[in-house]
Amino acid sequence: MRELSLDQLKTLIAIIDLGTFSAAAQALHLSQPTISLHIAELEQRFDTPLLVRGGRRVTATAAGLTLAEHGRKLLRDADEAIAAVGRQVAGVEGRVRLGASSGILVYQLPQVMETLGRQFPDIDVNVSITGSAETLQGLEQGTLDIGIVAMPQNPPKEISIRHWRTDPMMAFLPAAWQAPKIITPDWLADKPLIFNEPSTHMYRLTMEWFAAAGYAPRAKIELNYTEAMKSLVAASYGAAILPLDTPDPTRLQPMLQLRPLRPALPRHIGIAHRPLATLDGASRNFLAILEQFRQSPGSKKTLRTK
């Protein structure tokens, strides 16, 4: 037996409202046999008459009135769903699922979200705090729409990554330490260190920086939350190598010291997404907002040190 359909409900409601099968057929642009088939299928589905035939005007039975009442609600809900999807496809409304690290969430995304709110107030962004590997996995599996990931990466098939910004990695040192103006692996290798977790891209960057100078230091602690690492540095627990991603790094002083590295160590960040043709308008508009904040790969930040 066929299941209840919206077309059948439209037919029943049109007959009740207009009073005849022929008027309903004309209003719905259907043939009269199709109208009759819809009603027959509905009455077979509920095993009861829904219309009283025989007079000049067709009227509804009690069961027909009940079904029509609920049917009007279902049709309104369907119309609202179609309109909502249409607005999302057009890019003026919808939800975007974004994967990004905690550092990106704290420092870069607030400005992006503020601009998004001004230009597209009905687009919501659901942010998942994820590492780059997890973000790429989410994009591949379809649980995320856009990701902000460390570069370089070997993305899954059909996942595109393009450069978004480059931040210099800096030495974050306790304020009480006597430190040179430029930090080298030789000076830092024997100090107490706070590292990112080994699964992260920043851990690999840090270890490669030390390894190029012939060092393989061990950390006192490894964790994957940038602000917690900075707090430990400020508490004189150790030093960390982290990206300079805060808009105003001087606000961190005098709690800790920031020093540039030699050799310089850049951290590149990219925007990852599935093919544009598979993204809805809301996701494409959010990508356009991210593009407004794209930083040239050759641009540099400056920092005044104490």
Side-chain angles (χ1 to χ4, degrees):
M1 183 183 297
R2 293 181 62 183
E3 293 296 327
L4 185 66
S5 78
L6 295 180
D7 287 339
Q8 293 170 348
L9 293 174
K10 285 181 181 179
T11 296
L12 176 66
I13 293 168
I15 293 172
I16 293 173
D17 290 345
L18 299 175
T20 67
F21 279 60
S22 59
Q26 185 176 3
L28 297 175
H29 304 287
L30 297 173
S31 67
Q32 192 154 333
T34 300
I35 293 291
S36 298
L37 178 62
H38 283 177
I39 298 304
E41 289 176 341
L42 279 176
E43 291 181 332
Q44 183 181 12
R45 172 72 175 78
F46 291 99
D47 194 25
T48 189
L50 300 173
L51 297 172
V52 178
R53 304 160 176 84
R56 296 180 58 185
R57 183 179 179 89
V58 177
T59 59
T61 64
L65 287 174
T66 297
L67 181 58
E69 178 183 356
H70 288 280
R72 293 181 198 276
K73 296 178 183 177
L74 290 173
L75 291 172
R76 284 196 297 270
D77 289 343
D79 288 341
E80 290 175 4
I82 292 170
V85 171
R87 290 192 295 270
Q88 178 143 358
V89 171
V92 298
E93 180 180 301
R95 181 187 64 171
V96 179
R97 300 165 300 173
L98 174 71
S101 68
S102 60
I104 295 295
L105 176 62
V106 170
Y107 294 119
Q108 273 77 48
L109 282 185
Q111 298 178 67
V112 173
M113 297 302 190
E114 182 181 359
T115 302
L116 179 71
R118 289 197 306 268
Q119 297 185 21
F120 299 100
D122 293 323
I123 293 180
D124 295 323
V125 179
N126 291 351
V127 182
S128 299
I129 299 177
T130 53
S132 296
E134 188 179 359
T135 296
L136 292 174
Q137 185 180 37
L139 291 170
E140 184 179 27
Q141 295 174 351
T143 58
L144 295 173
D145 302 307
I146 298 171
I148 300 178
V149 299
M151 296 176 68
Q153 296 284 345
N154 292 316
K157 185 179 179 181
E158 295 191 349
I159 302 299
S160 300
I161 303 177
R162 67 178 183 274
H163 176 269
W164 187 46
R165 63 179 296 118
T166 295
D167 299 307
M169 299 285 279
M170 305 285 292
F172 285 67
L173 310 174
W177 285 15
Q178 295 295 319
K181 289 187 176 181
I182 298 177
I183 302 302
T184 64
D186 182 68
W187 185 87
L188 192 58
D190 63 350
K191 305 295 187 295
L193 297 172
I194 303 165
F195 281 174
N196 291 94
E197 292 178 350
S199 62
T200 65
H201 186 76
M202 279 199 289
Y203 177 87
R204 293 194 296 273
L205 279 179
T206 300
M207 294 306 293
E208 288 169 1
W209 184 75
F210 278 112
Y215 296 97
R218 293 185 179 181
K220 289 181 64 176
I221 188 171
E222 296 169 347
L223 66 161
N224 195 25
Y225 184 53
T226 301
E227 292 308 298
M229 296 173 71
K230 292 176 183 177
S231 295
L232 289 174
V233 174
S236 296
Y237 188 80
I241 295 179
L242 295 168
L244 181 61
D245 50 12
T246 174
D248 182 17
T250 58
R251 71 178 179 82
L252 299 171
Q253 302 172 1
M255 296 181 292
L256 46 78
Q257 306 177 67
L258 273 68
R259 294 288 189 270
L261 302 176
R262 182 183 293 160
L265 181 61
R267 191 275 302 262
H268 303 293
I269 293 295
I271 300 171
H273 57 83
R274 296 188 302 279
L276 289 175
T278 68
L279 298 179
D280 60 25
S283 295
R284 290 196 297 270
N285 282 336
F286 183 65
L287 281 174
I289 297 296
L290 286 172
E291 186 66 21
Q292 296 178 28
F293 291 86
R294 191 173 73 86
Q295 181 191 82
S296 170
S299 65
K300 296 182 179 180
K301 288 184 178 179
T302 59
L303 172 69
R304 295 175 296 172
T305 58
K306 295 193 295 183

